[in-house]
Amino acid sequence: MTQTLEPQTERTGSEGPAEAPPSPQQRVDGWLSAFESALTDGDVERATSLFAPTCFWRDLVAFSWNLTTVENRDGVRSLLTATLEAASPSTFRTSEEPTEEDGVVTAWITFETAVGRGRGLLRLTDEGAWTLLTTLYELKGHEEPLRGGRPMGAEHGARKDRTTWTERRAAEEEALGHTVQPEVLVIGGGQGGIALGARLRQLGVPALVIDRYARPGDQWRSRYKSLCLHDPVWYDHLPYLKFPENWPVFAPKDKVADWLEFYTKVMEVPYWSSTTATKASYDEASGEWSVEIDRDGVAMTLHPRQLVLATGMSGKPNVPNFPGQELFAGEQHHSSQHPGPDAYAGKKVVVIGSNNSAFDICGALWEHDADVTMVQRSSTHIVKSDSLMEIGLGALYSEEALAAGVTTEKADLIFASLPYRIMHEFQIPLYQQMRERDQEFYDRMERAGFDLDWGDDGSGLFLKYLRRGSGYYIDVGAAELVADGEVKLAKGEVDHLTERTVVLADGTELEADLVVYATGYGSMNGWAADLISQEVADRVGKVWGLGSETTKDPGPWEGEQRNMWKPTQQPGLWFHGGNLHQSRHYSLYLALQLKARYEGIPTPVHDLAPVHHLS
Amino acid sequence: MTQTLEPQTERTGSEGPAEAPPSPQQRVDGWLSAFESALTDGDVERATSLFAPTCFWRDLVAFSWNLTTVENRDGVRSLLTATLEAASPSTFRTSEEPTEEDGVVTAWITFETAVGRGRGLLRLTDEGAWTLLTTLYELKGHEEPLRGGRPMGAEHGARKDRTTWTERRAAEEEALGHTVQPEVLVIGGGQGGIALGARLRQLGVPALVIDRYARPGDQWRSRYKSLCLHDPVWYDHLPYLKFPENWPVFAPKDKVADWLEFYTKVMEVPYWSSTTATKASYDEASGEWSVEIDRDGVAMTLHPRQLVLATGMSGKPNVPNFPGQELFAGEQHHSSQHPGPDAYAGKKVVVIGSNNSAFDICGALWEHDADVTMVQRSSTHIVKSDSLMEIGLGALYSEEALAAGVTTEKADLIFASLPYRIMHEFQIPLYQQMRERDQEFYDRMERAGFDLDWGDDGSGLFLKYLRRGSGYYIDVGAAELVADGEVKLAKGEVDHLTERTVVLADGTELEADLVVYATGYGSMNGWAADLISQEVADRVGKVWGLGSETTKDPGPWEGEQRNMWKPTQQPGLWFHGGNLHQSRHYSLYLALQLKARYEGIPTPVHDLAPVHHLS
């Protein structure tokens, strides 16, 4: 339901002596009208004054051609000063009736800019706009062929030059990379690359996704066999095609893999399997990359204008150097190389690390009768999967949320509307609830000697994920093994290895046939260093993290995740990844940025983030 | 929104002097309450009196364990007398607010029976219930694991005896047909077999779908290359997983094929490709079939209790016998064997027939520069695809219908709620509209000498489809070729063939390098004759058709499509098929009938249809 805007003055006229307080709808209409009027007049000061002194405006590509969050009136003023003229925003409307709770009015809004259409979420208090989310969802003249605008498919009428869908697809495949260059090359064909590929396909941007594995989905198939999604189904949908209504809550990895493979095909994503990129360089003059690839043994060079690294938010493995590794007579490998438990029944295994991978690997090894010791080097945040699902996600991503009208698309925007700066305030109480609910479990973990934490500020898992992408385990069972002593626990740094043992700093000596280094991953710009050059990796700087000045997320404050889905200091280089939720939602904004560049639509980037950390 | 039932007497009390006429909600509540009260009292006469003298009650499995439509109070009385005690219906409620239009109140209802839950649609007039649709949608204690009840997927917790999804799937595949017999064998893995397979899987009925082709979807891939769906996307969804929002309106055949393949895997339908059934026999004593199959060259015998023929509503090809066929030196084949146009450029082709297949084949041959003559032997009903989509289906299956809240599921029930007996009354005006809209086209067809019809009573395509499954063409372009003379038209019966020509009854001699017999298909019980025996085929009788006493649909009136999705005179033998809409919707009722039998739930069949025609 759209609403007609009326200037507030018209409504506060002489209609009666005892006027009721304005409804949420009236308040929002008044605010939007005043905001639009100030914007139309180019009056930044007036527009700024409509915001509360403490406020957050998050813009995803609509005003800033960037993902950016500004704070307080200074931030609003600076964003508007820089972007107002080019964005030329107008037609602010509510898209459904606003609601009020605890003095905060919440409104779904739509608007237009010079080049596109946007939607957002506004929260008003008595002081003015407290939070504003503005997002671009389509470019004018480049609307996606969806729903009422979907393609006809059949070309009715008889014609001698008819080509069929199959013939056109075959011709396209034959040309791509040979006579036709992809505008966008996406390296990495997991959920991130595939979701982006689907969106680019839908937007008519010639793109190619390449992946080293033989089939889409092999990124999942190749992992240890008991792996399941740790996030529930409602959080995991891909764009355009939702999982069916009988899809399991926590899908097993091979089922996810099959889905990704068929999704790729159904969405007609140009996808080259068994393909690795070996070298890339950027030509400033032509604005083109040269990317050397190996496609199933055949060397080729591609010339995309845009290069997206979607090789996984985990970046490159951190393989530690310990004295004596070269003497160790058993097997040793990083968790990313771990083949699963089958070969290790009856063997002594030492797993270095105590986060997700370490627990998953320990659990699977224990199930296969290995003698497993976990080495905890620093504290870990653990939440039970079911508690996380019910308390952490249930309000936005669940069957109940759907029944209450919170679609996946709405949930994504509500989530995105909470400024990272204050997100911990919303998260802390949720994790307090989880702690209370599972207190008995946490007591047992501590009695077993396990060091627990809840994030530096008690804000729990999701912020740890956003800040550092590590330091936690979503318990699907393996933590109980540590609590029960079924998986042995040792603590402290590794001092060195001997022929048969791992020796810890306190002198503890652990016998081992296998050592697994579940020691995490570096920043994603490590991929850029390998593929392009250290110079480019350093120019781009650290990828991921918010600058929260918490452990492994040094400041200064960035307001957004560093370098993710947004322009970087290296023209034509982009980073994409994250969990299924992020792959789904943020691929939209990345795709729109790439589409605009492909179409030659001006994309003046506001406040390109400076680099503070190299990795 | 469910409503509390109040006996009508309570509402017509002493609440005021000037009582407003009852709202649609009150009228429906009153009717449902009176109906339920009569049913609870076992008072068939009182329940019957609540129906209008002219009325239609269509029951899909809920009361009758059959697909049946009864007419007028006699029919209602007889249905209730036979089924009331076992069905033990109760808890009739509206599921949303009823609406009124032109004196007819329409209400969505829900109810329960002794063994299941149902939904339906009630239309009330001043005389009582005019139409009532009652359908079963689930069996108590056997609810489908969907949405809020979906499976968890991951088994949290560490356990030494863990098996993974992949291992369980592999073990199941290995056992099926060897150590574990399928309860249901579905012969034919097109959209019908696959949709039924998905529902049976979902209901936990051990079933197996077999198909002669190498891959699911090959039923479409193997057809001529320009084939597209002639029905629009909104009409074509399969159960549980809708086509994505960017799916084309008229999908090309290879894209449909990929979707079916994808769907089969995602839904985990047990499906054996490259498998044909060669012989089947039923053992009355054990209630088991013995079905000999050839699975990729390996002979096996399966022992299902239920056998479903889903080999296509078209049944066996009608290959005509004309004198001189053995003398003809060119190529000749039935349309079902036609390989597509590629090999026939520059050749003279005579296509016998003037329905869908004939037009499709003529059009594709013309596009490939063949010299094509169509032989029309009897009149054909033609509608333009876009007119059919907009006028014929738009109110129920379209983007606009969706926006108005008519989901696919609701559209299916609305469609099902229109009694076949009076459906022509609703259809005739639609086809009059189409005729007016495309009058210029029809004039050109007639000027070209083409014999047009609109069905015996002017009710058009859908009823022709239901009555005889033939006699029409949905024009996607090829009719224009006949109108323009690009495809030549000849008329009349074929008298004989010579070495080089087809000779018609009037002596016209048509030169031919290829003769295509687009001469249609026999009744589906022809499959039963081939696979089982002529005796069983004759016991079952004609499949398809309503008994409308129109061309190729002899009476007496059946009220439902003969033998489709319902019990037949041969225990354990079922027919399934039709277009995507029917495959989606009616597979539910067939699956519930099979599930009930599998679980040993009593399924007293009301009014098993007698056989009036052998083919």
Side-chain angles (χ1 to χ4, degrees):
Chain A
M1 201 185 334
T2 57
Q3 304 291 333
T4 308
L5 285 183
E6 301 172 73
Q8 198 152 21
T9 48
E10 284 184 34
R11 265 210 328 280
T12 55
S14 55
E15 296 193 25
E19 211 170 343
S23 68
Q25 181 71 58
Q26 287 169 327
R27 286 179 63 185
V28 173
D29 287 348
W31 192 93
L32 292 177
S33 166
F35 188 54
E36 179 159 353
S37 155
L39 298 183
T40 307
D41 295 348
D43 191 337
V44 168
E45 217 38 60
R46 212 166 85 221
T48 301
S49 73
L50 293 164
F51 285 75
T54 298
C55 66
F56 305 89
W57 180 357
R58 186 174 196 208
D59 181 63
L60 304 179
V61 182
F63 282 68
S64 62
W65 286 106
N66 202 344
L67 310 193
T68 191
T69 302
V70 295
E71 300 184 6
N72 306 334
R73 288 182 177 163
D74 282 351
V76 170
R77 185 181 297 113
S78 125
L79 177 62
L80 280 176
T81 303
T83 64
L84 180 56
E85 191 175 337
S88 189
S90 69
T91 331
F92 287 83
R93 301 277 189 276
T94 56
S95 53
E96 56 186 81
E97 196 171 339
T99 56
E100 180 165 4
E101 197 180 333
D102 298 333
V104 179
V105 173
T106 301
W108 290 99
I109 63 169
T110 60
F111 60 94
E112 296 192 8
T113 68
V115 301
R117 294 184 192 88
R119 55 171 72 104
L121 197 56
L122 169 69
R123 293 188 185 86
L124 282 183
T125 68
D126 288 340
E127 296 186 307
W130 171 46
T131 72
L132 175 62
L133 171 71
T134 49
T135 75
L136 190 74
Y137 71 86
E138 71 182 1
L139 292 161
K140 292 178 187 173
H142 304 284
E143 293 79 7
E144 293 188 41
L146 282 179
R147 296 182 285 269
R150 66 177 80 222
M152 284 304 285
E155 297 166 45
H156 292 170
R159 18 189 302 190
K160 298 246 176 191
D161 59 350
R162 180 195 295 280
T163 56
T164 65
W165 173 80
T166 306
E167 288 165 343
R168 287 191 301 276
R169 292 276 287 145
E172 190 193 329
E173 267 173 41
E174 197 167 322
L176 185 65
H178 301 279
T179 57
V180 173
Q181 284 298 317
E183 165 80 4
V184 180
L185 180 66
V186 181
I187 300 180
Q191 64 262 21
I194 288 172
L196 180 63
R199 292 204 187 268
L200 291 171
R201 178 81 184 173
Q202 188 65 10
L203 284 165
V205 178
L208 173 62
V209 179
I210 63 172
D211 195 89
R212 67 191 165 112
Y213 285 107
R215 287 160 63 197
D218 278 354
Q219 304 84 359
W220 289 88
R221 287 189 194 93
S222 61
R223 304 279 312 274
Y224 59 92
K225 72 179 191 178
S226 62
L227 177 67
C228 289
L229 287 191
H230 291 193
D231 291 320
V233 57
W234 309 280
Y235 190 70
D236 301 333
H237 294 299
L238 292 172
Y240 310 119
L241 179 64
K242 295 200 163 60
F243 293 112
E245 50 194 29
N246 57 359
W247 196 258
V249 177
F250 298 106
K253 63 158 178 126
D254 292 327
K255 199 165 163 72
V256 175
D258 287 351
W259 181 266
L260 289 174
E261 184 171 9
F262 282 109
Y263 181 88
T264 304
K265 190 155 190 177
V266 165
M267 291 295 153
E268 304 181 15
V269 178
Y271 190 105
W272 287 1
S273 297
S274 305
T275 302
T276 50
T278 52
K279 187 76 201 137
S281 60
Y282 187 68
D283 184 274
E284 295 278 348
S286 66
E288 253 184 32
W289 291 93
S290 291
V291 184
E292 294 170 24
I293 65 166
D294 176 310
R295 185 184 188 189
D296 221 357
V298 179
M300 287 177 67
T301 304
L302 298 173
H303 298 284
R305 300 183 68 82
Q306 311 290 346
L307 182 62
V308 179
L309 299 187
T311 35
M313 65 142 284
S314 298
K316 288 177 59 186
N318 275 335
V319 183
N321 282 311
F322 296 128
Q325 280 176 323
E326 74 287 357
L327 303 175
F328 183 66
E331 197 180 342
Q332 51 186 326
H333 50 236
H334 187 265
S335 58
S336 58
Q337 302 299 316
H338 182 63
D342 295 334
Y344 304 107
K347 304 282 184 177
K348 289 184 162 50
V349 184
V350 172
V351 177
I352 315 291
S354 56
N355 291 342
N356 252 333
S357 301
F359 273 103
D360 277 341
I361 289 169
C362 286
L365 285 165
W366 175 86
E367 288 185 345
H368 283 73
D369 299 315
D371 174 350
V372 191
T373 303
M374 171 185 280
V375 177
Q376 183 175 32
R377 301 184 303 163
S378 58
S379 66
T380 304
H381 171 49
I382 301 183
V383 285
K384 290 271 184 193
S385 170
D386 52 350
S387 301
L388 179 67
M389 180 171 80
E390 285 168 41
I391 298 172
L393 292 175
L396 291 179
Y397 299 98
S398 64
E399 216 59 51
E400 294 70 31
L402 280 173
V406 183
T407 61
T408 308
E409 292 71 21
K410 276 188 156 182
D412 286 349
L413 289 175
I414 294 171
F415 212 167
S417 77
L418 297 175
Y420 288 138
R421 178 72 96 176
I422 55 170
M423 190 175 271
H424 61 285
E425 297 174 17
F426 299 90
Q427 295 285 303
I428 289 168
L430 301 181
Y431 285 86
Q432 281 171 340
Q433 278 182 57
M434 292 185 219
R435 194 196 307 226
E436 284 161 27
R437 170 171 156 151
D438 299 320
Q439 191 61 55
E440 184 270 341
F441 159 72
Y442 292 115
D443 290 347
R444 283 194 291 119
M445 286 302 284
E446 288 187 333
R447 279 200 297 276
F450 195 85
D451 285 339
L452 294 166
D453 74 66
W454 291 81
D456 289 8
D457 52 1
S459 61
L461 189 133
F462 193 68
L463 276 162
K464 252 194 168 181
Y465 172 73
L466 292 175
R467 290 165 175 174
R468 52 180 280 199
S470 66
Y472 51 79
Y473 172 52
I474 300 175
D475 182 30
V476 291
E480 297 284 349
L481 296 175
V482 172
D484 296 347
E486 294 283 335
V487 165
K488 287 170 246 172
L489 181 66
K491 284 164 72 177
E493 276 303 328
V494 173
D495 188 77
H496 65 280
L497 273 69
T498 69
E499 191 183 346
R500 295 276 165 217
T501 67
V502 176
V503 183
L504 303 185
D506 68 354
T508 303
E509 202 161 352
L510 305 167
E511 277 185 67
D513 300 305
L514 165 68
V515 179
V516 180
Y517 301 112
T519 43
Y521 297 85
S523 163
M524 271 183 267
N525 67 341
W527 295 119
D530 284 2
L531 179 67
I532 310 165
S533 66
Q534 192 60 49
E535 187 199 338
V536 165
D538 290 349
R539 189 181 310 149
V540 167
K542 182 175 167 67
V543 179
W544 207 261
L546 302 170
S548 63
E549 298 185 2
T550 57
T551 304
K552 297 199 180 177
D553 185 28
W557 179 250
E558 303 270 349
E560 294 286 335
Q561 287 199 281
R562 292 185 193 89
N563 283 314
M564 291 301 297
W565 313 292
K566 56 194 278 186
T568 67
Q569 294 284 353
Q570 169 60 52
L573 182 64
W574 309 78
F575 292 87
H576 176 47
N579 60 26
L580 282 155
H581 156 249
Q582 292 172 309
S583 295
R584 167 184 70 247
H585 189 205
Y586 289 96
S587 58
L588 171 60
Y589 308 111
L590 178 49
L592 287 170
Q593 293 173 79
L594 296 168
K595 171 70 173 179
R597 282 161 175 80
Y598 173 62
E599 297 291 347
I601 294 167
T603 56
V605 175
H606 174 61
D607 207 17
L608 185 64
V611 172
H612 298 288
H613 307 283
L614 296 187
S615 66
Chain B
M1 198 183 337
T2 56
Q3 305 290 334
T4 308
L5 285 183
E6 303 171 70
Q8 199 150 20
T9 48
E10 286 185 33
R11 265 210 326 281
T12 54
S14 55
E15 298 194 23
E19 212 172 343
S23 68
Q25 180 72 58
Q26 287 169 327
R27 286 180 61 187
V28 173
D29 287 348
W31 192 92
L32 292 177
S33 166
F35 188 54
E36 180 159 351
S37 154
L39 297 184
T40 307
D41 295 347
D43 190 337
V44 168
E45 217 39 59
R46 210 166 87 221
T48 300
S49 73
L50 292 164
F51 285 74
T54 298
C55 64
F56 305 89
W57 180 357
R58 186 173 196 208
D59 181 63
L60 304 180
V61 182
F63 283 68
S64 61
W65 286 107
N66 201 343
L67 311 193
T68 191
T69 301
V70 296
E71 300 183 7
N72 306 335
R73 289 181 176 164
D74 282 351
V76 170
R77 184 180 298 111
S78 125
L79 177 62
L80 279 177
T81 303
T83 64
L84 180 56
E85 190 176 337
S88 188
S90 68
T91 332
F92 287 82
R93 301 278 188 275
T94 57
S95 53
E96 58 185 81
E97 197 170 340
T99 57
E100 178 163 7
E101 197 180 332
D102 298 333
V104 179
V105 173
T106 302
W108 291 99
I109 63 170
T110 59
F111 60 94
E112 295 191 9
T113 68
V115 300
R117 296 185 190 86
R119 55 172 72 103
L121 196 57
L122 168 69
R123 292 189 185 85
L124 281 184
T125 68
D126 288 341
E127 296 185 309
W130 171 46
T131 73
L132 175 63
L133 171 71
T134 48
T135 76
L136 191 73
Y137 71 86
E138 71 182 3
L139 292 162
K140 291 177 189 175
H142 304 283
E143 293 78 7
E144 293 189 40
L146 281 179
R147 298 182 285 270
R150 67 177 78 222
M152 284 304 287
E155 297 166 45
H156 291 171
R159 20 189 300 190
K160 298 246 175 191
D161 60 348
R162 179 194 295 282
T163 55
T164 66
W165 173 80
T166 307
E167 288 164 344
R168 287 191 301 276
R169 292 277 285 146
E172 189 193 332
E173 267 173 42
E174 198 167 320
L176 186 65
H178 300 279
T179 57
V180 174
Q181 283 299 316
E183 166 81 3
V184 181
L185 180 67
V186 181
I187 300 180
Q191 63 262 20
I194 289 172
L196 180 62
R199 292 202 187 269
L200 291 171
R201 178 82 183 171
Q202 189 64 11
L203 285 165
V205 178
L208 172 63
V209 180
I210 64 173
D211 195 89
R212 66 190 167 113
Y213 284 108
R215 288 160 61 198
D218 277 355
Q219 303 84 356
W220 288 88
R221 288 190 193 91
S222 61
R223 304 280 311 274
Y224 59 92
K225 71 178 191 179
S226 63
L227 177 66
C228 289
L229 286 191
H230 291 194
D231 291 321
V233 57
W234 309 280
Y235 190 70
D236 300 333
H237 295 299
L238 293 172
Y240 310 119
L241 179 65
K242 295 201 164 57
F243 292 113
E245 51 194 29
N246 58 358
W247 196 258
V249 177
F250 299 106
K253 64 161 178 121
D254 292 328
K255 200 167 162 71
V256 175
D258 287 351
W259 181 265
L260 290 174
E261 187 172 7
F262 165 48
Y263 181 90
T264 303
K265 189 152 191 179
V266 165
M267 291 295 154
E268 304 181 14
V269 178
Y271 191 105
W272 287 0
S273 297
S274 305
T275 301
T276 50
T278 53
K279 188 75 202 141
S281 60
Y282 187 70
D283 185 274
E284 295 277 348
S286 67
E288 253 185 31
W289 292 93
S290 291
V291 185
E292 294 170 23
I293 65 166
D294 175 311
R295 186 183 186 189
D296 220 357
V298 179
M300 287 175 67
T301 304
L302 297 174
H303 298 285
R305 300 183 68 83
Q306 310 290 345
L307 182 63
V308 179
L309 298 187
T311 35
M313 66 143 283
S314 297
K316 288 177 58 185
N318 275 334
V319 184
N321 282 311
F322 296 127
Q325 280 175 323
E326 74 289 356
L327 303 174
F328 183 66
E331 198 180 342
Q332 51 186 327
H333 51 235
H334 187 264
S335 58
S336 58
Q337 303 298 316
H338 182 63
D342 297 332
Y344 304 105
K347 304 281 184 177
K348 288 184 163 50
V349 183
V350 172
V351 177
I352 314 291
S354 57
N355 291 342
N356 252 332
S357 300
F359 272 103
D360 277 342
I361 289 168
C362 285
L365 286 165
W366 174 88
E367 288 185 343
H368 282 74
D369 298 314
D371 174 350
V372 190
T373 303
M374 172 185 279
V375 178
Q376 183 175 33
R377 303 184 302 163
S378 57
S379 66
T380 304
H381 171 49
I382 301 182
V383 285
K384 291 270 184 192
S385 169
D386 51 351
S387 302
L388 180 66
M389 180 171 80
E390 286 168 39
I391 298 172
L393 292 174
L396 291 181
Y397 299 97
S398 65
E399 217 59 50
E400 295 69 33
L402 280 173
V406 184
T407 60
T408 308
E409 292 71 22
K410 276 188 155 181
D412 287 349
L413 290 175
I414 295 170
F415 213 166
S417 77
L418 296 175
Y420 288 138
R421 177 73 96 176
I422 56 171
M423 191 175 272
H424 61 284
E425 297 175 17
F426 299 90
Q427 295 284 303
I428 289 167
L430 302 180
Y431 285 86
Q432 281 171 339
Q433 277 182 58
M434 294 185 218
R435 193 196 307 228
E436 284 161 27
R437 170 172 156 151
D438 299 319
Q439 190 60 55
E440 184 271 341
F441 159 73
Y442 292 116
D443 289 347
R444 283 194 291 120
M445 286 302 284
E446 288 188 333
R447 279 200 298 274
F450 195 86
D451 285 339
L452 294 167
D453 75 65
W454 291 81
D456 289 10
D457 52 3
S459 61
L461 190 132
F462 193 68
L463 276 161
K464 253 196 166 178
Y465 172 74
L466 292 174
R467 290 164 175 173
R468 52 180 279 201
S470 66
Y472 50 81
Y473 172 52
I474 300 176
D475 182 29
V476 290
E480 297 285 348
L481 296 174
V482 173
D484 296 346
E486 294 284 333
V487 165
K488 286 171 248 172
L489 181 65
K491 285 164 72 176
E493 277 304 329
V494 174
D495 189 78
H496 65 280
L497 275 66
T498 70
E499 190 183 348
R500 295 276 165 217
T501 67
V502 175
V503 183
L504 303 184
D506 67 356
T508 303
E509 202 160 352
L510 304 168
E511 280 185 66
D513 301 304
L514 165 68
V515 178
V516 180
Y517 301 112
T519 43
Y521 299 83
S523 164
M524 272 182 269
N525 67 341
W527 294 119
D530 284 3
L531 179 67
I532 310 165
S533 67
Q534 191 60 49
E535 186 199 340
V536 166
D538 290 349
R539 188 181 311 150
V540 166
K542 182 176 169 67
V543 180
W544 206 264
L546 302 169
S548 63
E549 297 185 4
T550 58
T551 305
K552 298 200 179 178
D553 183 29
W557 180 248
E558 303 271 349
E560 295 286 335
Q561 287 200 281
R562 291 184 192 91
N563 282 316
M564 290 301 296
W565 314 292
K566 57 194 279 186
T568 67
Q569 295 283 353
Q570 169 60 51
L573 182 63
W574 309 79
F575 293 87
H576 176 47
N579 60 26
L580 281 156
H581 156 247
Q582 291 171 309
S583 295
R584 167 184 69 245
H585 189 205
Y586 289 97
S587 57
L588 170 61
Y589 308 111
L590 177 49
L592 287 170
Q593 293 173 81
L594 295 168
K595 171 71 174 177
R597 282 160 175 81
Y598 174 62
E599 297 292 346
I601 294 168
T603 56
V605 175
H606 173 63
D607 207 17
L608 184 66
V611 173
H612 299 286
H613 307 282
L614 296 188
S615 65

